[in-house]
Amino acid sequence: METTLQSSKYTKGIKLYLKENMGILIAFAVLYLFLSINPSTSSAFLTRQNMFNVLRQISTNLYLACGMTMVIILGGIDLSVGSIIALSGCVAAACVSRHAMPIPCALVIGILIGIVFGMINGTIISKTTIPPFIVTLANMNIARGFAYIYTSGSPVRVVTKQWQFIGAGYCGIVPTPVVILLIILVITALLMNNTRFGRHIYAVGGNVTAAHFSGISVKRVKFWVYTFSGLMAGIAGIVLASRMYSGQPTAGEGAEMDAIAAVVVGGTSMSGGSGKIGGTIIGALIIGFLNNGLNLLNVNSFWQYVVKGFVILLAVFVDFIRNRNKK
């Protein structure tokens, strides 16, 4: 009987997911089909190597997007994640190459930098009325400035194979960043869908006042959501530094915009209170395959920015129409 109830619950969950994300699923299917049958792209697009390359490239964006999904559902924004990528990657790389630390210690230090900045964001946002946009914008500049100061503006190269394995290696035939991504996605999905903390995120994002009067610690929820976002940025910084064989103070520029784009294209409402990590995954895949397809079609990189801008604008417009119809 219990097994039947669980099966019914999962079936309803799948149906609800398909209903809520039908639009982006159709958009993804159309894009994938177009790139698969187009004579100019099909031969290169459908190869296993290309699929894994796309997944490796979007993995960093999806690390950030996992945290950004929670932040935007909460009704906030986090502009600091791109700069945290640079600082955490540079410091972790320097720990290995300049200070001869064991790689596990370097990884912990890099991740802690992300967590600390996330905690700073969360503390200020939860205890004051300063808008998240301003707080995270300030920390975006602070983290980027520290990255330049720490490295004197020069890359920090790391050539050890153990370091390169994190971002450029393989577990069997699967790229290591993709394996890390799968673990993060499972943890994020469990947090959002199967915990009290996840339910509180939706409650606070839907109506802060109602959440407060229902006994939810709004400050605590905000603090831990921004801390989680910082954690994701720290992990992304290490993986990206490993993939580039160096910590770059310029790394992560615009990464926060890519993460927000994946979340918005994935159907999460910028007004807060609604959204799913499954939609964010599809959103990141759409952006990743779109970039890949434009490259295979030899579209000028300048025009690629224009195309992505139109895609994001369309996603926001759809969100606007959906919210207007609910009123």
Side-chain angles (χ1 to χ4, degrees), residues 19-24 263-270 274-275 315-327:
K19 181 180 178 180
E20 291 178 343
N21 297 283
M22 186 57 68
I24 57 171
V263 175
V264 172
V265 172
T268 298
S269 175
M270 290 296 291
S274 66
V316 173
F317 183 73
V318 170
D319 177 53
F320 166 75
I321 296 296
R322 186 172 54 206
N323 287 331
R324 187 178 66 177
N325 291 337
K326 287 180 180 178
K327 293 179 180 179

Side-chain angles (χ1 to χ4, degrees), residues 10 32 34 55 82 124 133 214 217 225 242 289 297:
Y10 288 129
Y32 189 89
F34 171 77
L55 291 175
I124 298 173
F133 179 90
S214 65
S217 176
V225 165
S242 172
F289 281 123
L297 290 168

Side-chain angles (χ1 to χ4, degrees), residues 52-115:
F52 278 145
N53 282 340
V54 172
L55 291 175
R56 188 195 295 272
Q57 289 163 7
I58 69 170
S59 60
T60 305
N61 187 26
L62 262 175
Y63 300 155
L64 299 180
C66 285
M68 195 68 74
T69 301
M70 291 187 185
V71 169
I72 292 178
I73 290 173
L74 199 64
I77 198 78
D78 190 349
L79 300 179
S80 65
V81 290
S83 297
I84 294 172
I85 282 179
L87 182 59
S88 62
C90 288
V91 172
C95 286
V96 175
S97 64
R98 295 179 180 176
H99 307 297
M101 288 187 182
I103 288 178
C105 292
L107 299 183
V108 170
I109 291 172
I111 290 171
L112 280 175
I113 288 172
I115 292 174

Side-chain angles (χ1 to χ4, degrees), residues 10 19 51 58 75 109-110 125 128 132 158 175-176 183 193 197 207 233 244 250 281 289 296:
Y10 288 129
K19 181 180 178 180
M51 291 294 111
I58 69 170
I109 291 172
I125 291 167
T128 70
V158 185
T176 308
I183 296 170
N193 301 319
F197 175 65
N207 190 317
M244 297 190 301
T250 58
I281 295 170
F289 281 123
L296 293 176

Side-chain angles (χ1 to χ4, degrees), residues 45 48 58 80 103 122 131 156-157 159 218 302-303:
F45 177 73
R48 185 179 71 181
I58 69 170
S80 65
I103 288 178
V156 183
R157 289 191 56 80
V159 295
V218 174
F302 302 147
W303 279 104

